[in-house]
Amino acid sequence: MSSNTQQNLGSTTALSDTQWAQLNQLTPSLTPSQLGWLSGYLAGLAQTQVGATIPQANPVVGDAAGVDKFITILYGSQTGNAKALAQGYKAKLDSAGIAAKLVNMADYKAKQLKNESHVVVIVSTHGEGDAPDDAIELHDFLSSKKAPKLPNLSFSVLGLGDSSYEFFCQTAKDFDKKLNELGAKRIADRVDCDVDYDDAAEAWGDQVLNKVQDELKAKGNSHVVAMPHIGKPSLSVATAQYSKKNPFTASLLESQKVTGRDSVKDIRHIEISLEDSGIQYRPGDALGVWFKNDPSMVDELLDLLSVEGEADVTISGETFALRDVLIEKRELTQSYPSFTTAYAEIANNPELNALLEDKAGLRAFLGERQIIDIVRQYPAKADPQALVDMLRGMTPRLYSIASSQAEVEDEVHLTVALVEYDAHGQIHQGGASSYLAQRLEEGGEVQVFVEKNDNFRLPESSDTPVIMVGPGTGIAPFRAFMQEREAQEAEGKNWLFFGNPNYTQDFLYQTEWQRFVKDGVLSKVSLAFSRDQEDKIYVQHRLLEQGAEVFAWLEQGAHFYVCGDANHMAKDVHAALVEIVQKHGAKSAEAAEEYLTALRRAKRYQKDVY
């Protein structure tokens, strides 16, 4: 659909920008016959259900259509993985004729739980066991005295997490425990998924479906409005032509260092061509990058383990050379407990075996080491297939997109900090950052896909004020925001809080921000260069200094965005916000938290943290 057509239609319909985006995302994937079917379906719905609400992507209408029982899929997602799995599971239930509805936890009325018969929860965990923003309110409600008894509820929980972290899938564990304590009964036991989650999630979904289908299968076609199906839906569904499982082979246009010669950081501006892909993205989205491990590190690992790189190994029924697998398909720059447990069996080292019994000690040990460090410290001879089986599958790295297509068209820009440090007498580097910054040459191919992030979006109205807090590489999405707002000729005020160690070395995109100010796109800039004075100053300190004006902007309807470190910066910024609302809004600490919760519920307080 052309932009002119959209503008003309938009002037005569009630579709919002978000609805247009959803419609334009759906229609390219439909065949002509499906488009015809959908046209007739919507026309009939308009005539027979005037004033009714069309279920969002709801092929099977639940209790509104007369089905006595249905299953509610509640998801809480920070980066989009839990949302994608929930959408996939909705499609799976639809295909099986199960009445179901899909609800973001942020949009769910917690007191409705007592009226539910069947609920599945799909939720991720972030930071130190923190719930994703979508899930915070429901998570807190279940732990409060307001939570109702739920003797008539059947439920199951799927958790997403990373076993490298101490509080692996903690949010899912919390939901599972609280629902059970309130009297709800498990349909199937909770499943905690690691970063390579597809198979485990699929098995969990099948188990739940098998348990509920006899009870929930829709009774008769009169209660079912079925969308046409293409093949067998999977729990993970592609929402675009290119996806995590089907990435686009792009080319690197430029990798330019944007920190000074004497900077303590090496940060790169990366430009990638999406030419001929048809890929569309929006400010706030992330780019998934499939990287390759350093061949020299792989060769050392092969030598240490006394295995031949050309040895054949099998993954999911396909045969590959071991060296190729280690470069392209296995996680080597992060360490994780499952590898250590399996490796200890072949190393048979008393010290390593003892470490496995010390949970806290093991976490500290892994936190300071990559896979090769463990092998260097406890050498052993490995079987090629056993080595592949004990290593975790590689997962793509997600980078906040630092450009707007209104400005760069068929390119995508990233802001990437090279991870590089000394440890155990060796230089270590991050897998994806070193690949993009050093090993991938200009013109080289890189596999990418867009990860949508509807939890980090500019306001629908271009007149709405915006406050952006993005120290370090957290600046990336705000560069995209400003490019977009400039293209929109937005009237809304924009205020940037940025921090880094030194003004002369680390002011990322300085000339661009200065131009945005000169051209009136950026209304205010507050800078925090921590090492330019004796006392370290960070973005949260600048927020507190400008507290009265920050609160005034919020009272004027401003949207507040935070991007960057989740464990420290984002928490410090939140604490500063609470203090600002207390002081300048004359509120108690509890009322200030409620004020920020209301902002988050209204999508006016959004975070993209990692």
Side-chain angles (χ1 to χ4, degrees), residues 453-473:
N453 186 0
D454 291 332
N455 291 322
F456 204 75
R457 292 285 186 235
L458 278 166
E460 287 195 9
S461 171
S462 61
D463 295 336
T464 302
V466 163
I467 301 173
M468 304 165 287
V469 182
T473 56

Side-chain angles (χ1 to χ4, degrees), residues 161-163 168 193-198 244 331 334 392-393 395:
D162 183 338
S163 62
F168 174 54
C193 296
D194 212 336
V195 291
D196 191 8
Y197 54 76
D198 287 336
K244 179 180 176 181
E331 185 64 68
Q334 295 177 350
R392 195 160 73 182
T395 55

Side-chain angles (χ1 to χ4, degrees), residues 421-438:
Y421 58 96
D422 291 326
H424 316 293
Q426 303 282 344
I427 298 293
H428 292 67
Q429 291 185 326
S433 65
S434 61
Y435 175 67
L436 289 170
Q438 295 184 338

Side-chain angles (χ1 to χ4, degrees), residues 14-67:
L15 291 183
S16 68
D17 290 343
T18 300
Q19 289 169 324
W20 272 118
Q22 292 170 338
L23 183 62
N24 288 331
Q25 181 177 322
L26 170 66
T27 51
S29 67
L30 300 180
T31 66
S33 61
Q34 288 175 319
L35 286 169
W37 183 93
L38 184 61
S39 175
Y41 169 70
L42 292 175
L45 196 66
Q47 292 178 8
T48 61
Q49 297 186 22
V50 176
T53 300
I54 300 174
Q56 58 169 359
N58 236 11
V60 180
V61 181
D63 54 343
V67 178

Side-chain angles (χ1 to χ4, degrees), residues 312-320 330 385 388-389:
D312 286 342
V313 293
T314 302
I315 300 177
S316 302
E318 292 188 65
T319 301
F320 305 92
R330 285 297 181 259
Q385 187 64 51
V388 167
D389 292 342

